């Protein structure tokens, strides 16, 4: 146990030792994480949708559930959502992306694929992490639909009140 200090002179005699948490305070080093085929794999989630994303060097093709992303997500807003992390990292035509997505609706699926692409980019190129983190692409949007309660019409809406 450490010696007890009672006076200011005792404090002056204590040698300055580096704090114990100094090594832990250093910034974490992120490494490249690739599978046996040279691809980066990540899982993205949004609402009830789960996307499994594989990223490898290529010409910029994005395939979702064995379809082109423009065919799977017909709405331009959803297509733009997928492109956001690639545009933020300025890697639009450098990687081929293959994703399988299930659960939820189209909007949730697009958000899940975007989250998965962002994570896979950081696994393939760890130096892109600050740019993607600043854009908010690595944060999982944890909002989900609230469950229905008994005695209620929906999660919070009650049945119509009638005096008689």
């Amino acid at each position: 146990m450490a010696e007890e200090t009672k006076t200011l002179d005792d404090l002056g005699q204590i040698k300055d030792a580096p704090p114990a948490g100094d090594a832990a305070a250093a910034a974490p080093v992120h490494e490249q994480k690739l599978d046996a085929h040279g691809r980066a794999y990540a899982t993205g989630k949004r609402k009830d949708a789960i996307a499994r994303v594989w990223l490898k060097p290529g010409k910029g093709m994005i395939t979702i559930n064995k379809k082109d992303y423009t065919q799977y997500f017909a709405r331009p807003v959803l297509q733009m959502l997928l492109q956001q992390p690639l545009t933020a990292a300025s890697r639009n035509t450098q990687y081929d992306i293959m994703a399988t997505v299930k659960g939820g609706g189209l909007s949730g699926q697009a958000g899940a694929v975007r989250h998965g692409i962002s994570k896979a980019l950081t696994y393939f190129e760890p130096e892109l992490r600050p740019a993607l983190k600043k854009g908010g692409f690595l944060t999982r949007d944890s909002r989900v639909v609230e469950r229905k309660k008994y005695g209620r019409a929906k999660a919070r809406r009650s049945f119509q009140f009638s005096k008689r």
Side-chain angles (χ1 to χ4, degrees):
M1 198 153 145
E3 294 179 25
E4 193 173 321
T5 55
K6 296 183 179 179
T7 65
L8 289 175
D9 293 332
D10 293 342
L11 281 176
Q13 294 173 358
I14 297 175
K15 292 186 179 179
D16 292 329
D22 199 25
V29 178
H30 298 284
E31 298 176 354
Q32 190 180 40
K33 297 177 187 172
L34 301 179
D35 64 3
H37 301 286
R39 304 175 300 186
Y41 169 77
T43 305
K45 295 180 179 181
R46 170 86 165 87
K47 293 187 177 179
D48 277 339
I50 299 172
R52 300 183 308 160
V53 178
W54 290 270
L55 183 130
K56 65 180 181 179
K59 299 177 182 175
M61 291 186 52
I62 301 176
T63 308
I64 297 167
N65 290 353
K66 298 183 180 176
K67 292 183 181 179
D68 187 51
Y69 82 104
T70 55
Q71 187 181 0
Y72 192 84
F73 294 116
R75 281 187 262 162
V77 173
L78 300 180
Q79 294 173 16
M80 180 204 63
L81 207 67
L82 293 188
Q83 295 285 340
Q84 282 179 334
L86 295 169
T87 307
S90 62
R91 303 284 192 273
N92 284 344
T93 58
Q94 291 185 11
Y95 295 109
D96 285 344
I97 297 166
M98 201 274 285
T100 58
V101 63
K102 58 185 173 184
L106 282 178
S107 175
Q109 287 185 351
V113 173
R114 179 179 93 157
H115 186 226
I117 289 172
S118 305
K119 284 173 65 176
L121 271 171
T122 60
Y123 292 155
F124 203 90
E125 286 189 64
E127 60 272 6
L128 293 177
R129 187 174 173 80
L132 293 172
K133 187 82 172 160
K134 186 178 178 221
F137 302 120
L138 296 176
T139 306
R140 193 254 202 250
D141 189 354
S142 60
R143 297 175 295 172
V144 291
V145 178
E146 190 175 348
R147 77 171 188 88
K148 183 195 176 302
K149 278 58 162 209
Y150 59 88
R152 297 267 174 175
K154 292 164 71 175
R156 297 186 182 201
R157 182 173 179 351
S158 22
F159 296 107
Q160 183 172 346
F161 177 75
S162 172
K163 200 176 242 187
R164 304 182 183 90

